[in-house]
Amino acid sequence: ALARAGVDRVTIVARSPDRIRSWLDERAAPHLHPTRLACLPWSDLEGVLPDAGWLVQATTVGMHPYGSDSPLTDSQIACFPDTCVVHDLVYRPDPTRLVERSRARGIEAHTGGRMLAFQAREAFRAWTGLEVPDPVWLEALRIQACRVI
């Protein structure tokens, strides 16, 4: 999706970069051209943060009941450029500590609640063929999922 959107560079930072790289080579590589892809070890994170345009946090760190945890420290968040956008895919609590700290720094930041609602929308459409307006999904998520958005 990022390659189709015209993103020219994607950097993935992971605890097991070789495993991620192997998966990407098998499944994603044909779709990434001409997107440049780097898969780096977690120890290289701080080196890439100053150039981050969009940071997607895709671990469970910070998920309820460990909502006071954050995968990034305040000093790492301080490395973000002012134009960076943060998406923490964790949806409970809302906001997550990463989102709170990013916003306090003046960075646009979002939790994963909307993504969760829109995944539900797409699954419902795939199974039933029916369209339900986005506001209905967002309201259902707000009511049923512990006010995650």
Side-chain angles (χ1 to χ4, degrees):
L2 293 172
R4 285 191 304 270
V7 172
D8 68 341
R9 182 177 49 152
V10 175
T11 303
I12 298 171
V13 180
R15 291 174 299 183
S16 304
D18 292 337
R19 189 180 71 188
I20 300 297
R21 185 57 157 159
S22 173
W23 181 87
L24 288 168
D25 288 345
E26 283 179 25
R27 302 184 192 242
H31 308 287
L32 291 174
H33 185 74
T35 300
R36 291 177 291 152
L37 178 66
C39 197
L40 305 174
W42 187 257
S43 59
D44 289 355
L45 175 67
E46 287 187 30
V48 300
L49 291 177
D51 295 323
W54 183 26
L55 182 127
V56 179
Q57 194 297 108
T59 73
T60 59
V61 176
M63 181 73 109
H64 176 78
Y66 306 103
S68 62
D69 294 344
S70 174
L72 301 180
T73 65
D74 288 346
S75 64
Q76 290 170 325
I77 293 168
C79 294
F80 296 163
D82 293 342
T83 56
C84 183
V85 176
V86 172
H87 278 91
D88 189 345
L89 299 187
V90 170
Y91 54 87
R92 183 176 175 215
D94 183 16
T96 62
R97 185 164 182 83
L98 173 61
V99 167
E100 284 178 331
R101 293 298 186 202
S102 298
R103 288 176 180 167
R105 161 99 177 29
I107 299 295
E108 180 182 343
H110 309 276
T111 57
R114 292 176 65 85
M115 184 187 73
L116 180 65
F118 297 145
Q119 285 176 332
R121 175 195 63 201
E122 293 304 312
F124 187 80
R125 179 185 303 153
W127 282 96
T128 68
L130 300 174
E131 297 283 336
V132 176
D134 290 347
V136 173
W137 290 109
L138 295 171
E139 181 63 10
L141 183 62
R142 187 188 68 76
I143 291 169
Q144 297 297 323
C146 304
R147 297 190 174 119
V148 298
I149 60 171

